[in-house]
Amino acid sequence: QSVLTQPPSVSGASGQRVTVSCTGSSSNIGAGYAVHWYQQVPGTAPKLLIYDATNRPSGVPDRFSGSRSGSTASLAITGLQAEDEVVYYCQSYDNVVAHVIFGGGTKLTVL
Amino acid sequence: QVQLQESGPGLVKPSQTLSLTCTVSGGSISSGSYYWSWIRQPAGQGLEWIGRDHTSGSTNYIPSLRSRVTMSIDRSKNQFSLKLSSVTAADTAVYYCARAQGENGWYYFDYWGQGILVTVSS
């Protein structure tokens, strides 16, 4: 059971918008620790998608955006494309366990 | 462009020690700006952070593995390593090395190795 809770799956129609939530608590996201997002194509290493909740590394399309409010962070993907149909993970830090934590991952299906 | 590459045995016997090395190219491991980390992923499951090392000698490991994990950095070879002792089948996973950027507690993983599958079996 992950400290950060993500929905196991989300779906959206091609071209539409979808959001992936990452729910934490007062010892991690709610405490103000940074939230980061990764995209993982099956069989490959995760790739940094969003860092510090809202920032995109160079090369990441602006279709991907992040936000946070209270103990929850969200990843939004607009203009859904077939290539977006992979797994997304959130990551933060928890001051109770005192280490990096990951969400359980969310599989995105593009309809 | 920074690149990381894991290496080591793909098969380890139960009760033995898993030893992996991560070679960093395109950048110096001696830069004090980064933490050097190991993350693993059992088949079909999510990511688990194992721990991180820093050139200052500061290490931090996940509590559940702390008694079995040792990480170290070899500046002369631009490599860092992971040793996990007394392995069981539960340690079977793809192991990733990764560079962490940012302050302790706030960092993110900006570069990853391709991953290496380690199977624990007799």
Side-chain angles (χ1 to χ4, degrees), chain B residues 64-82:
Chain B
S64 60
L65 298 177
R66 188 169 291 146
S67 63
R68 299 195 289 131
V69 171
T70 303
M71 293 183 185
S72 60
I73 293 175
D74 186 334
R75 298 188 194 210
S76 66
K77 295 181 179 179
N78 226 36
Q79 295 176 333
F80 61 106
S81 65
L82 165 71

Side-chain angles (χ1 to χ4, degrees), chain A residues 9-95:
Chain A
S9 63
V10 297
S11 63
S14 178
Q16 296 302 304
R17 178 182 186 272
V18 68
T19 62
V20 180
S21 62
C22 175
T23 303
S25 66
S26 58
S27 62
N28 42 72
I29 299 176
Y33 288 103
V35 180
H36 319 295
W37 291 91
Y38 301 86
Q39 178 189 61
Q40 186 177 32
V41 175
T44 71
K47 168 191 169 185
L48 180 65
L49 199 61
I50 298 285
Y51 65 96
D52 295 342
T54 61
N55 299 300
R56 284 186 306 275
S58 173
V60 173
D62 59 6
R63 302 188 296 108
F64 297 90
S65 63
S67 63
R68 65 183 296 164
S69 177
S71 297
T72 299
S74 297
L75 170 71
I77 309 171
T78 59
L80 279 175
Q81 301 178 5
E83 65 200 48
D84 300 332
E85 191 169 283
V86 294
V87 180
Y88 297 86
Y89 292 94
C90 60
Q91 175 233 318
S92 186
Y93 178 88
D94 188 278
N95 62 25

Side-chain angles (χ1 to χ4, degrees), chain B residues 38-80:
Chain B
W38 291 93
I39 295 157
R40 69 181 183 180
Q41 184 173 36
Q45 297 185 38
L47 302 166
E48 180 180 46
W49 179 82
I50 299 172
R52 59 92 175 140
D53 202 351
H54 188 268
T55 51
S56 66
S58 167
T59 57
N60 187 22
Y61 307 138
I62 192 170
S64 60
L65 298 177
R66 188 169 291 146
S67 63
R68 299 195 289 131
V69 171
T70 303
M71 293 183 185
S72 60
I73 293 175
D74 186 334
R75 298 188 194 210
S76 66
K77 295 181 179 179
N78 226 36
Q79 295 176 333
F80 61 106

